[in-house]
């Protein structure tokens, strides 16, 4: 699996937008970019995924660079419930490997 | 309500004992997975199963065993051969397509004394 690089931690204020970056300079053409988040003492939950175009859903937006070597997860208005570890994961759909490879992620702290 | 259940939430065992962690899903997913998480670390894949009666080793399968006799169930046994079994264990399931998200259970925190 191609590797991703994320900052160890970020801080935000409540009701402000948050931009969580992810670098993946060795991404291949068949790698989808997935984001999951993990609240304290819980299992991870899916946030969003994309291939080339920017994506929006009810939880977040995903902005993908034109060369696909980086992406940004955008939380439009952070709430205290968004405090979690956010994982950026590349998933190769060109093969048969079903696993998700989790790194250490970014710990997001949201200040009231 | 559809979802994944893991039991128990906390489990304590003495060193040298085998222990089985339960994972059940009612999402009609074909694929199921077991991950291990150590403090401050990401998740690592132990075993996964794409269909009933079939499973494959993940990155850290040594000292673990699984079975997949029913679509809904994927129990994980932590054997005495696992050198450092104390960890947070997470079960997940998904449809077989690689495009699909994985749904995770609440996890079981195993402590071996």
């Amino acid at each position: 699996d191609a590797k991703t690089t994320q900052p160890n931690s970020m801080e935000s204020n409540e009701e402000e937008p948050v931009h969580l970056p992810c670098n993946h300079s060795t991404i291949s053409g068949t790698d989808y970019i997935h984001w999951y988040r993990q609240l304290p003492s819980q299992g991870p939950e899916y946030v969003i995924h994309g291939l080339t175009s920017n994506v929006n859903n009810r939880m977040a937006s995903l902005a993908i660079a034109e060369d696909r070597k980086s992406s940004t997860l955008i939380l439009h208005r952070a709430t205290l419930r968004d405090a979690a570890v956010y994982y950026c994961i590349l998933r190769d759909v060109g093969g048969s490997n079903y696993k998700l490879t989790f790194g250490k992620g970014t710990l997001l702290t949201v200040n009231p | 309500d559809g979802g994944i259940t893991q039991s128990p939430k906390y489990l304590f065992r003495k060193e040298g004992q085998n222990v089985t962690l339960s994972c059940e899903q009612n999402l009609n997913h074909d694929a199921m997975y077991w991950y291990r998480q150590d403090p401050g670390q990401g998740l690592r894949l132990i075993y996964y199963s794409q269909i009933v009666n079939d499973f494959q080793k993940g990155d850290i399968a040594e000292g673990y065993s699984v079975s997949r006799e029913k679509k809904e169930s994927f129990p994980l046994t932590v054997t005495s051969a696992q050198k450092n079994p104390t960890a947070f264990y997470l079960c997940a399931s998904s449809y077989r397509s690689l495009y699909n998200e994985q749904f995770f259970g609440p996890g079981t925190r195993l402590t071996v004394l």
Side-chain angles (χ1 to χ4, degrees):
Chain A
D1 290 325
K3 190 175 176 180
T4 62
T5 305
Q6 300 177 252
N8 290 333
S9 62
M10 291 185 65
E11 205 167 320
S12 173
N13 295 320
E14 203 174 5
E15 298 189 3
E16 290 184 357
V18 181
H19 291 233
L20 296 163
C22 181
N23 287 318
H24 29 78
S25 58
T26 59
I27 192 169
S28 74
T30 53
D31 282 326
Y32 273 71
I33 302 160
H34 287 245
W35 284 82
Y36 282 74
R37 71 179 186 181
Q38 186 175 21
L39 279 64
S41 298
Q42 295 186 30
E45 66 173 339
Y46 166 82
V47 177
I48 200 167
H49 77 274
L51 182 63
T52 56
S53 303
N54 294 346
V55 184
N56 299 297
N57 66 20
R58 64 174 179 81
M59 289 181 72
S61 295
L62 176 60
I64 301 172
E66 200 167 330
D67 63 4
R68 300 211 324 128
K69 294 184 184 299
S70 66
S71 60
T72 303
L73 180 71
I74 302 166
L75 307 179
H76 295 286
R77 290 182 70 229
T79 70
L80 297 178
R81 289 175 293 177
D82 291 322
V85 177
Y86 286 79
Y87 298 98
C88 171
I89 298 165
L90 298 183
R91 197 163 190 200
D92 182 8
V93 297
S96 60
N97 190 347
Y98 287 78
K99 74 175 183 181
L100 294 173
T101 299
F102 287 78
K104 294 185 180 180
T106 297
L107 174 63
L108 175 65
T109 301
V110 180
N111 299 314
Chain B
D1 278 338
I4 301 176
T5 56
Q6 291 185 245
S7 60
K9 190 169 178 64
Y10 298 95
L11 190 55
F12 297 88
R13 279 294 182 269
K14 291 183 180 178
E15 197 170 342
Q17 289 181 331
N18 290 355
V19 60
T20 297
L21 310 184
S22 166
C23 177
E24 304 277 333
Q25 55 98 1
N26 60 4
L27 299 168
N28 200 33
H29 287 163
D30 291 301
M32 297 186 74
Y33 315 79
W34 274 106
Y35 291 88
R36 168 184 172 138
Q37 187 174 35
D38 293 289
Q41 304 296 313
L43 282 67
R44 292 182 291 167
L45 183 68
I46 305 172
Y47 268 99
Y48 66 101
S49 167
Q50 298 177 35
I51 55 173
V52 173
N53 293 322
D54 185 60
F55 48 82
Q56 285 80 40
K57 293 181 179 180
D59 298 321
I60 55 165
E62 186 176 346
Y64 300 97
S65 66
V66 293
S67 63
R68 186 83 187 279
E69 297 175 3
K70 296 188 300 181
K71 187 175 183 178
E72 302 78 22
S73 178
F74 191 40
L76 173 75
T77 297
V78 184
T79 74
S80 56
Q82 167 52 231
K83 290 184 172 43
N84 188 16
T86 294
F88 188 42
Y89 289 89
L90 289 154
C91 179
S93 71
S94 73
Y95 292 112
R96 283 191 66 191
S97 167
L98 286 164
Y99 298 92
N100 287 115
E101 66 202 76
Q102 290 184 12
F103 292 81
F104 284 81
T108 292
R109 194 167 296 279
L110 173 65
T111 302
V112 176
L113 307 170

